[in-house]
Amino acid sequence: ALDIPLHLMFPQPWTPTCEFSHPLARELQWLSAGHAGQWCQRQANWRSYQVVDEFMFIGTMKLINHMRYRHLRISRLQTGQRAYNLLNSFHVPFAKMWSPALVPKPADWPAEVDVVGSFFLEQASSYAPDPEFAAWLAAGDAPIYVGFGSMVLGDPQAVAALRRWTDLTGGEVLPDHVRCIGPAPHDWLFPRMAAVVHHGGAGTVAAGLRFGKPTMVCPFFGDQFFWPEAQYSRLTTSKHAPHPETMGDQVYKAKVGPPPCPIENLTTAKLASAFESMLQDPEILASTERLRRLMATEDGVKGGMRSFYKHLPLQDMVCDVSLMLPEQASAEVYIPGSKLKVSREVHAVMGIDSFEYSPVSWDLSPQSSLEAITEGTCAFVHEVLAALLGLFTCWFKMKLDDCEAGCSREALQENCMDLGYRWFKATKNLILRPLTMTADLSPSPRSADEGADDGRSQPFTAQCR
């Protein structure tokens, strides 16, 4: 609504693809175990992104609208506008912050999405380790790192027992070959390790593989289940990511560590077996070294900057007149007669009729009568289903005589009144919103001046507000 250029950067896959499901939609991953055909799996993968985005938007819609209306002074997002899909609808540039050697860019991702490499914060030079710990490292072979960052453990005593090795040594005191340390930068610690075991966050996975360390992941939640799958089965030998239909011929197992083990299933026996395979399996050692060499050629920060400037609409942001001056100025005003976009200073000198100008146009209004009717219908269904769900929930609690839940006959009456109000609101959306929205389907002053059609303006195209 503010018409400001936008570029997102994030270390998780959040753009729909048929190749893998959304990291937060683990419930759909059962399809990959042979319960459905390839077509169904691909469709489930694609739809998982819409499901996650829609549920997250439903949960945060009130907060978002409060911020938009109260603080930014812009219109609220309406039900039926499919606001959860705006980033994809407007083709907002999106830089994915992970190594393309680990997970290549899917073939069905659009051009505005780039896999640029991992971002690393170099802290080794400013870190001073404990002298005793530094001497312990120098005195023996490279150890194995085991740590779970800031994750909250459901059974800390059980994991602490693993950390203390009591099940392996039978003692209550740490043996000489085990050390517990506080926070330490990955870029200082991991090069001194033989292998790493951790929770599987995107940054920690990249940090371990960057230094060629065999990795075992013990995921807790979210995208932590995605990365071990990627490190275990996604590493392509081709220069370009193949079409999803031919992925089976182009991808072989990366094998840079043992299979992942969710933290609740971690045992001493599994940990000991993982240690043995990470230290002795020649395939794991060769694969991690190969991936290390590939990641050494990448610079995620530079890749992110290249992606940013590649998609930045500089030609639409600069005053046309200032191009002939030593210093360039930003364009803020559009003059339809001369078809120039100029700064306010230049406009003040020219003194010609003009419009407010923005280099991009994130127009949320429907661009056709059919789209307006669709939005009204979606809003109608949303309101009715929400009212029926509230009424059914209240009635069900009354049947269970759940007085503590605060559901009484008065509450049921209130829900019935809410149902009537929502039904009225839904009918209004169904009838009035398409009429109101289609009335706004007129070309902007600049579009009319240039003889453009009424179609949706593409992002990063100069538009007049």
Side-chain angles (χ1 to χ4, degrees):
L2 297 177
D3 286 342
I4 299 174
L6 174 64
H7 192 124
L8 298 179
M9 296 189 183
F10 198 56
Q12 296 179 15
W14 217 276
T15 302
T17 176
C18 293
E19 295 189 17
F20 45 79
S21 63
H22 194 289
L24 304 184
R26 291 186 59 216
E27 289 73 10
L28 296 178
Q29 294 180 2
W30 67 274
L31 290 172
S32 62
H35 299 288
Q38 185 182 32
W39 184 87
C40 292
Q41 174 62 63
R42 288 164 53 79
Q43 291 300 311
N45 289 342
W46 182 276
R47 299 301 177 189
S48 68
Y49 292 84
Q50 298 179 348
V51 171
V52 171
D53 281 341
E54 185 166 7
F55 273 95
M56 292 186 69
F57 176 73
I58 290 174
T60 58
M61 182 176 178
K62 289 184 178 180
L63 294 175
I64 293 173
N65 279 336
H66 177 80
M67 179 193 68
R68 289 173 61 93
Y69 187 73
R70 296 292 183 183
H71 299 285
L72 301 179
R73 303 300 180 185
I74 56 180
S75 62
R76 297 182 178 93
L77 295 173
Q78 301 293 328
T79 56
Q81 283 186 311
R82 298 187 296 279
Y84 63 89
N85 197 43
L86 290 180
L87 295 179
N88 301 315
S89 299
F90 286 121
H91 303 283
V92 175
F94 208 144
K96 309 296 185 178
M97 300 159 50
W98 66 72
S99 170
L102 180 62
V103 181
K105 176 182 176 179
D108 53 356
W109 274 359
E112 68 270 9
V113 179
D114 301 311
V115 179
V116 299
S118 300
F119 288 23
F120 297 108
L121 181 61
E122 306 295 344
Q123 297 177 300
S125 60
S126 60
Y127 175 70
D130 178 74
E132 182 182 354
F133 175 63
W136 177 80
L137 281 176
D141 297 331
I144 298 177
Y145 166 84
V146 180
F148 302 108
S150 59
M151 296 297 101
V152 178
L153 300 172
D155 189 358
Q157 289 77 19
V159 178
L162 294 175
R163 186 186 67 183
R164 291 197 303 265
W165 293 77
T166 53
D167 292 344
L168 292 180
T169 65
E172 295 296 333
V173 181
L174 286 174
D176 292 338
H177 59 276
V178 179
R179 285 290 186 275
C180 291
I181 65 171
H186 290 158
D187 60 324
W188 183 92
L189 185 63
F190 284 3
R192 294 167 170 81
M193 299 293 109
V196 293
V197 179
H198 52 73
H199 57 288
T204 313
V205 169
L209 297 178
R210 171 195 187 189
F211 296 111
K213 305 304 174 182
T215 301
M216 178 187 181
V217 172
C218 301
F220 285 66
F221 63 88
D223 68 315
Q224 296 168 7
F225 289 88
F226 172 79
W227 297 111
E229 178 188 354
Q231 76 170 45
Y232 196 68
S233 62
R234 283 192 180 89
L235 188 60
T236 181
T237 57
S238 62
K239 286 186 176 181
H240 306 284
H243 190 274
E245 294 293 341
T246 62
M247 286 293 287
D249 298 329
Q250 301 294 332
V251 177
Y252 68 93
K253 288 187 177 181
K255 198 69 174 179
V256 293
C261 177
I263 188 63
E264 63 270 16
N265 299 331
L266 184 62
T267 64
T268 301
K270 292 180 180 179
L271 195 59
S273 176
F275 286 178
E276 182 177 355
S277 63
M278 287 191 292
L279 295 179
Q280 300 178 5
D281 190 324
E283 185 178 2
I284 290 179
L285 297 175
S287 297
T288 52
E289 175 61 20
R290 179 175 182 270
L291 187 55
R292 182 197 66 79
R293 291 196 302 267
L294 291 172
M295 294 183 68
T297 64
E298 303 169 359
D299 190 327
V301 175
K302 288 185 178 179
M305 292 301 296
R306 284 194 295 267
S307 175
F308 175 79
Y309 282 109
K310 179 176 70 174
H311 299 290
L312 187 67
L314 284 174
Q315 69 279 6
D316 295 327
M317 299 172 63
V318 179
C319 169
D320 292 334
V321 177
S322 69
L323 293 175
M324 299 177 289
L325 302 176
E327 295 185 3
Q328 296 181 354
S330 60
E332 300 176 273
V333 178
Y334 178 73
I335 303 175
S338 57
K339 299 182 181 180
L340 291 175
K341 57 185 190 300
V342 298
S343 64
R344 294 195 183 278
E345 292 78 7
V346 172
H347 175 254
V349 174
M350 299 176 68
I352 306 176
D353 292 339
S354 61
F355 302 99
E356 288 291 321
Y357 173 83
S358 176
V360 296
S361 177
W362 309 116
D363 188 6
L364 299 180
S365 61
Q367 303 300 306
S368 66
S369 300
L370 179 61
E371 189 174 342
I373 294 173
T374 301
E375 290 189 3
T377 303
C378 291
F380 176 86
V381 174
H382 173 86
E383 295 289 350
V384 171
L385 290 181
L388 291 177
L389 179 61
L391 186 62
F392 173 78
T393 302
C394 187
W395 172 82
F396 184 72
K397 289 181 178 179
M398 287 186 62
K399 296 292 289 185
L400 295 178
D401 294 327
D402 188 6
C403 298
E404 294 183 359
C407 230
S408 60
R409 292 187 180 277
E410 291 77 11
L412 182 61
Q413 292 176 357
E414 290 180 2
N415 276 269
C416 290
M417 294 178 62
D418 181 67
L419 174 62
Y421 169 75
R422 284 182 175 270
W423 187 274
F424 168 77
K425 186 177 178 181
T427 305
K428 183 185 71 173
N429 279 323
L430 182 62
I431 298 176
L432 297 183
R433 184 185 291 187
L435 296 178
T436 304
M437 289 180 174
T438 52
D440 295 333
L441 296 181
S442 57
S444 64
R446 182 175 185 182
S447 298
D449 182 70
E450 297 180 358
D453 59 24
D454 296 345
R456 183 184 300 276
S457 301
Q458 293 297 320
F460 301 147
T461 301
Q463 288 291 324
C464 172
R465 287 190 291 184

